[in-house]
Amino acid sequence: MRITPIALPLALLAVLASTGCKQIPYVPLPAPPTGIHYEPGANSAGIPRMSEAELLRQKHLAHGGDKRAAFNVYQHLRSVENDDAQARDWLILAADLGHASAQFNLAQIGIYEHDSASALYWAKRAKASGYPHAAELVQSLENPD
């Protein structure tokens, strides 16, 4: 008996249909990596530290256009290194690259610094990026009561 090219896939479908999906083995995939490789056991006040090599890798990725890496560098400099001035530069880069949390953070900083133009600009960018509550912030900045 000769099996035609169309008959084989149909036969396989018939076998699968008769066995049911519950008999198909399922192997869960491991969780995706966070993108940051922390130094094992190294932390500052309970915050995991990036190695110098990892920090350099994140900076390189950020300069290549990776908004998440730019935000990672910001968070590291802000929370681990306590370098607010340098951290802000990375926050601005992340926001410019389209990172919604960075945009919203800059809007909040603008409010804190009484810079309503900057606050409104970044709030609108965060809203366009789909950040939750950014629409309400834009409305409150455009219509202060």
Side-chain angles (χ1 to χ4, degrees):
M1 179 173 152
R2 185 165 183 230
I3 298 177
T4 64
I6 294 177
L8 183 59
L10 291 175
L12 287 173
L13 283 174
V15 169
L16 285 175
S18 66
T19 61
C21 291
K22 291 183 181 178
Q23 295 177 1
I24 298 173
Y26 169 74
V27 179
L29 297 175
T34 62
I36 303 173
H37 306 288
Y38 293 107
E39 282 187 74
N43 60 58
S44 296
I47 301 169
R49 291 186 66 88
M50 281 190 253
S51 66
E52 286 301 316
E54 179 60 17
L55 185 59
L56 188 61
R57 185 180 82 86
Q58 292 288 321
K59 287 180 178 181
H60 179 72
L61 290 170
H63 286 302
D66 188 327
K67 62 186 173 188
R68 186 184 65 177
F71 197 73
N72 292 342
V73 173
Y74 155 73
Q75 287 181 315
H76 177 82
L77 292 171
R78 175 95 165 84
S79 58
V80 175
E81 302 293 332
N82 251 353
D83 187 347
D84 289 342
Q86 193 177 6
R88 187 170 183 158
D89 292 340
W90 288 96
L91 181 63
I92 292 169
L93 176 61
D96 282 338
L97 291 172
H99 196 280
S101 293
Q103 294 164 342
F104 194 79
N105 285 353
L106 284 170
Q108 295 293 326
I109 290 170
I111 292 168
Y112 177 77
E113 294 177 347
H114 304 288
D115 184 351
S116 57
S118 175
L120 182 58
Y121 172 78
W122 287 114
K124 285 181 177 180
R125 294 272 314 261
K127 177 183 173 186
S129 296
Y131 191 84
H133 308 295
E136 292 89 349
L137 182 59
V138 168
Q139 187 169 352
S140 71
L141 289 169
E142 288 180 332
N143 303 309
D145 292 321

